[in-house]
Amino acid sequence: MENSSLSPFKTDTIIEPFRIRSVEPIRFTTMEEREKLLKEAGYNPFLLKAKDVLIDLLTDSGTGAMSSKQWAGMIESDESYAGSSSFYKLESAVQDITGFKHLIPTHQGRAAENIFFTTIANEGDIIPSNTHFDTTRAHIEHAGAEARDLVINEGKQPQSDHPFKGNMDLEKLEETIQAVGSDNIPVIMITVTNNSGGGQPVSMANIKGVSEIAQKHDIPFFIDACRFAENAWFIKTREEDFTDKKPIEIAQEMFSYADGCTMSAKKDGMANIGGFLALNSDELASECRNLEILTEGFPTYGGMAGYDMEAVARGLYEALDPDYLRYRIRSISYLGDKLTDAGIPIVQPTGGHAVYLDAKQILPHIPPTEYPAWSFNNALYLLGGIRGVEIGTVMFGKQPDGSEKPAAMELVRLAFPRRMYTQSHVDYLAEVIISAYKQRQKLGGYKIVESPDVLRHFSARLEPIDK
Ligand SMILES: *Cc1c(COP(=O)(O)O)cnc(C)c1O
């Protein structure tokens, strides 16, 4: 037959770039059952059993699906204590993608932070970043230093539309260095994407700008690289000159401006556990390895089994696959678009791994001290078995002196596990959120009846306030 005269078929549909070969059933419950389950859990979704959740958007950390190649790698792994070939595979992947000379594997991201900040930070030091993630901040403070957030102003306003709301304010960075002196700044960090700021990306120009300032003042520059691949995709689709570059080339360029990185492989490592510290300095690497042996394990496995290192070595490349990234970022904006069309206020534009609902605007009749974001999140569970997480006054409101102060924002974060859910799951999700929104006048506040002194959102018990 002649090569056809058909014109190529064009579609706007972005399909899941995988087919499903192993399935995990999810359990349907009735609203009546969920009312009982939520009450038993002290109205705290963290205390629900996962089997009682239909669509679990609590976090994208370590919750994703692994590929057949990753599972095959796990069978093939080398569990030798020292010099395991799985370590060398991971080392070669990390060196290829980041260009950094030394790999220090750890059991997850915060273990890399612990080793790094214990080694470099001292009492009274200042460590600037766009926004430090909470574990990063905790480790910096644990070392007696101060974690300082210098994100651009647009990054603090939920409704402002800026393509790179995760960017660092370079002027503020310069001012900070002038004010405190470069001797008191052991490292400058940047988080890509900016998790605490809504998964918002950082531009290549900004990364380069930070790097130039760091070099000028002779300060090391490290990237918190947890979502480096998602950030590379935003650079490809939003920044001039990068449209024709492959995500891996963009990632390589991002890392080329830095001296090292901390990484949680539970995010763009596409694994269920794992992490690493990677860096260029021989001296710093050897200091960090001393601590690694003390807290994590021998340097060729750190905190990971050989099979974890195999999964991460493959996962880092899979996270950079353009078909995967197109689907990944579109899954998030797809939900964002549906909600925006329905008039529901969300953090704009949608970021890389989550949709953030603005509960302060959705529920103006519930004061922050009665936890509007908590209330809306619970409504999503009651109506549709969906579990998100409150990022508001329950999480941040309790002051060290025991008093209560409203958080800056009242958000419900719906974080998407990687490669887990399909478009129909997201369609259902949108229906549930829209239904909760339409019934918002019926929602009331909550009060805390029992709570621990620190990190209360994990285990507090609450009750609805009767009005
Ligand atoms: C998750 C995360 C971490 C910490 O990693 P863990 O693997 O959870 O210990 C650090 N920084 C950012 C930006 C993260 O998202």
Side-chain angles (χ1 to χ4, degrees):
M1 208 173 87
E2 280 293 295
N3 212 344
S4 74
S5 52
L6 294 172
S7 18
F9 166 68
K10 274 219 170 126
T11 173
D12 289 331
T13 310
I14 296 170
I15 64 169
E16 284 81 8
F18 48 78
R19 53 186 181 180
I20 299 165
R21 214 166 54 132
S22 172
V23 296
E24 181 187 0
I26 47 179
R27 196 169 81 87
F28 292 89
T29 48
T30 63
M31 186 150 155
E32 220 175 3
E33 288 169 319
R34 290 192 293 274
E35 271 166 357
K36 189 164 160 281
L37 291 162
L38 191 61
K39 188 172 180 200
E40 282 167 6
Y43 295 96
N44 184 345
F46 278 105
L47 302 180
L48 287 168
K49 292 192 172 128
K51 72 172 174 55
D52 298 327
V53 176
L54 187 66
I55 297 189
D56 204 346
L57 306 178
L58 190 65
T59 175
D60 66 321
S61 177
T63 50
M66 291 210 297
S67 67
S68 49
K69 277 202 181 130
Q70 286 177 295
W71 283 109
M74 290 185 77
I75 300 281
E76 247 179 36
S77 71
D78 176 358
E79 301 301 336
S80 305
Y81 193 92
S84 141
S85 58
S86 301
F87 169 80
Y88 293 109
K89 271 187 220 164
L90 178 60
E91 184 188 52
S92 125
V94 171
Q95 284 173 345
D96 176 31
I97 294 166
T98 70
F100 300 132
K101 187 171 167 195
H102 300 284
L103 167 68
I104 296 176
T106 60
H107 79 276
Q108 61 184 86
R110 68 197 69 185
E113 293 172 345
N114 182 33
I115 291 170
F116 182 54
F117 294 116
T118 306
T119 307
I120 59 141
N122 291 302
E123 197 76 37
D125 283 347
I126 308 271
I127 300 180
S129 180
N130 46 353
T131 313
H132 289 283
F133 181 63
D134 46 14
T135 59
T136 322
R137 171 176 295 277
H139 280 294
I140 291 171
E141 290 172 357
H142 188 66
E146 184 196 323
R148 199 172 282 186
D149 295 339
L150 302 175
V151 73
I152 56 169
N153 283 331
E154 288 89 338
K156 295 182 217 159
Q157 297 151 6
Q159 307 302 326
S160 75
D161 212 7
H162 185 289
F164 293 102
K165 282 171 89 169
N167 280 358
M168 178 113 81
D169 187 325
L170 298 180
E171 246 168 67
K172 278 197 200 139
L173 177 61
E174 270 287 4
E175 283 164 22
T176 304
I177 300 170
Q178 299 300 341
V180 304
S182 53
D183 289 348
N184 298 315
I185 303 180
V187 64
I188 297 170
M189 301 282 302
I190 202 158
T191 314
V192 300
T193 58
N194 191 21
N195 185 3
S196 308
Q200 298 293 334
V202 179
S203 71
M204 190 73 86
N206 194 253
I207 293 173
K208 206 172 159 191
V210 173
S211 168
E212 281 164 8
I213 293 173
Q215 268 178 32
K216 189 172 85 186
H217 296 278
D218 207 17
I219 301 170
F221 169 40
F222 273 59
I223 297 179
D224 178 338
C226 296
R227 297 182 182 79
F228 74 98
E230 291 169 7
N231 200 77
W233 187 257
F234 283 113
I235 289 175
K236 181 176 169 69
T237 51
R238 293 185 185 172
E239 194 164 352
E240 230 178 294
D241 300 337
F242 292 95
T243 319
D244 299 328
K245 290 236 163 88
K246 293 188 190 130
I248 188 168
E249 293 166 341
I250 296 172
Q252 284 162 337
E253 182 174 340
M254 280 162 47
F255 288 115
S256 74
Y257 298 120
D259 302 295
C261 72
T262 55
M263 174 74 189
S264 168
K266 301 172 74 172
K267 315 322 183 355
D268 281 350
M270 306 290 261
N272 300 123
I273 195 74
F276 56 82
L277 173 64
L279 69 170
N280 281 331
S281 157
D282 296 338
E283 202 186 337
L284 187 56
S286 111
E287 273 183 73
C288 287
R289 281 200 181 106
N290 291 335
L291 194 54
E292 181 194 28
I293 293 178
L294 202 63
T295 60
E296 289 289 291
F298 191 75
T300 60
Y301 71 86
M304 281 190 272
Y307 50 70
D308 297 326
M309 293 191 282
E310 293 280 346
V312 179
R314 289 163 170 78
L316 291 169
Y317 287 107
E318 290 179 10
L320 287 164
D321 172 9
D323 293 328
Y324 159 73
L325 282 170
R326 185 179 298 110
Y327 142 81
R328 169 77 177 158
I329 303 303
R330 181 56 192 149
S331 325
I332 314 290
S333 66
Y334 177 74
L335 177 63
D337 289 351
K338 285 194 164 225
L339 301 183
T340 305
D341 289 348
I344 302 176
I346 61 166
V347 175
Q348 297 284 3
T350 47
H353 67 290
V355 171
Y356 294 71
L357 311 174
D358 189 344
K360 208 186 253 184
Q361 286 201 56
I362 297 172
L363 301 172
H365 61 284
I366 303 179
T369 47
E370 293 178 10
Y371 316 129
W374 196 275
S375 170
F376 200 73
N377 190 36
N378 280 0
L380 299 183
Y381 179 70
L382 291 172
L383 278 173
I386 289 158
R387 172 159 71 173
V389 65
E390 185 243 29
I391 303 195
T393 300
V394 177
M395 190 179 270
F396 296 125
K398 187 164 179 186
Q399 304 304 298
D401 67 2
S403 67
E404 183 111 353
K405 188 178 140 204
M409 295 196 256
E410 298 291 339
L411 303 175
V412 176
R413 186 188 76 181
L414 304 169
F416 282 44
R418 292 170 179 76
R419 302 189 289 207
M420 285 285 282
Y421 295 117
T422 63
Q423 185 171 348
S424 61
H425 290 115
V426 182
D427 288 334
Y428 168 77
L429 196 57
E431 279 187 58
V432 174
I433 299 166
I434 291 167
S435 162
Y437 181 70
K438 285 187 176 151
Q439 303 184 61
R440 63 192 180 281
Q441 298 301 345
K442 295 189 215 159
L443 297 177
Y446 279 83
K447 61 175 185 241
I448 292 177
V449 290
E450 211 185 292
S451 90
D453 286 340
V454 288
L455 298 173
R456 64 179 179 178
H457 54 284
F458 288 130
S459 55
R461 299 186 76 83
L462 293 90
E463 265 174 20
I465 297 172
D466 269 328
K467 285 237 166 104

